[in-house]
């Protein structure tokens, strides 16, 4: 009887973990999206960005960082329009002010690393996950 | 002994589900991001977008749709720069060609619904989740 109870609890826990994570765990988080616009002749080294730059920035964000993502631009979703962005890197954080406090002293180091992977000046969007 | 084994399996399963979902379940997926640029005087009704427009579009995407997200633009991440986007809606799908086939016959209906929540013409980015 006691073991059946433990089994049931573990089973229910598995379901909760599975369901809980499917239901937008990001809602309410702040996203900082660093967006690299496409234009003819510009370059972007995705390998360096993924293996060096993003982990380096992430290492300064501590427990405030929930996750970060990287995406590679493929095309415009509107026919005959140019690709809007070559790449986007996004940090999901709990607190914008904590993020700002963490990156402010490192800003020059981050910018100095730009030239190692791109000649594009990024656009940065701060947004809130609604859903 | 047998019950201990079952307990162990369930425990390991719980851990796998928990860890598996933390490790970027989106890697390899295609994102279609509908981005509404900010400019002075333009409007965007987030409530209509969240409760009517996005669920309507999502309803045509079937099992190809893994999830969709909505974000509200707050500010530029660069001081003294204007907000880049008022809002972004994103569909995460397994197949771009399936997405295109599903939305093509509905495009006029989707566009006709735009005026119910915004006077902004969106930019659409198709990208691949790298990490």
């Amino acid at each position: 009887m006691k073991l059946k109870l433990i089994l049931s609890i573990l089973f229910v826990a598995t379901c909760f973990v599975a369901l809980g994570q499917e239901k937008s765990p990001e809602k309410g988080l702040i996203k900082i999206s660093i967006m690299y616009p496409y234009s003819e002749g510009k370059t972007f080294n995705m390998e360096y960005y993924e293996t060096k730059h993003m982990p380096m920035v992430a290492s300064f964000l501590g427990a405030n960082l929930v996750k970060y993502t990287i995406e590679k631009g493929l095309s415009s979703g509107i026919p005959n329009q140019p690709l809007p962005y070559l790449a986007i890197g996004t940090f999901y954080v709990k607190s914008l002010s904590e993020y700002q406090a963490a990156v402010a002293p490192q800003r020059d180091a981050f910018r100095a690393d730009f030239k190692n992977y791109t000649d594009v000046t990024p656009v940065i969007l701060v947004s809130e996950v609604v859903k």
Side-chain angles (χ1 to χ4, degrees), chain A:
Chain A
M1 245 350 215
K2 210 174 151 193
L3 275 162
K4 270 199 189 166
L5 184 69
I6 295 173
L7 281 176
S8 307
I9 289 169
L10 269 175
F11 181 72
V12 169
T14 311
C15 295
F16 262 92
V17 169
L19 285 172
Q21 302 218 357
E22 264 177 50
K23 268 198 192 170
S24 187
E26 289 117 32
K27 187 169 172 170
L29 292 180
I30 299 298
K31 287 176 72 168
I32 297 101
S33 300
I34 301 96
M35 314 166 86
Y36 296 85
Y38 164 81
S39 64
E40 186 91 36
K42 294 285 182 182
T43 61
F44 193 91
N45 183 336
M46 183 58 86
E47 205 242 329
Y48 186 93
Y49 189 63
E50 188 183 352
T51 60
K52 304 271 197 258
H53 183 79
M54 286 293 277
M56 188 265 285
V57 176
S59 73
F60 288 99
L61 302 180
N64 186 37
L65 180 67
V66 176
K67 70 168 185 175
Y68 70 91
T69 61
I70 297 171
E71 63 197 278
K72 181 186 184 314
L74 298 179
S75 64
S76 168
I78 304 171
N80 306 317
Q81 294 256 344
L83 174 66
Y85 295 100
L86 282 171
I88 302 177
T90 306
F91 298 103
Y92 290 74
V93 299
K94 293 173 210 160
S95 154
L96 178 59
S97 56
E98 260 185 60
Y99 169 86
Q100 286 164 334
V103 301
Q106 312 298 334
R107 212 173 288 269
D108 289 345
F110 295 167
R111 291 211 179 135
D113 196 39
F114 278 13
K115 68 171 184 319
N116 293 320
Y117 63 91
T118 193
D119 51 0
V120 176
T121 303
V123 168
I124 305 182
L125 172 67
V126 176
S127 63
E128 184 190 335
V129 180
V130 172
K131 188 198 137 48

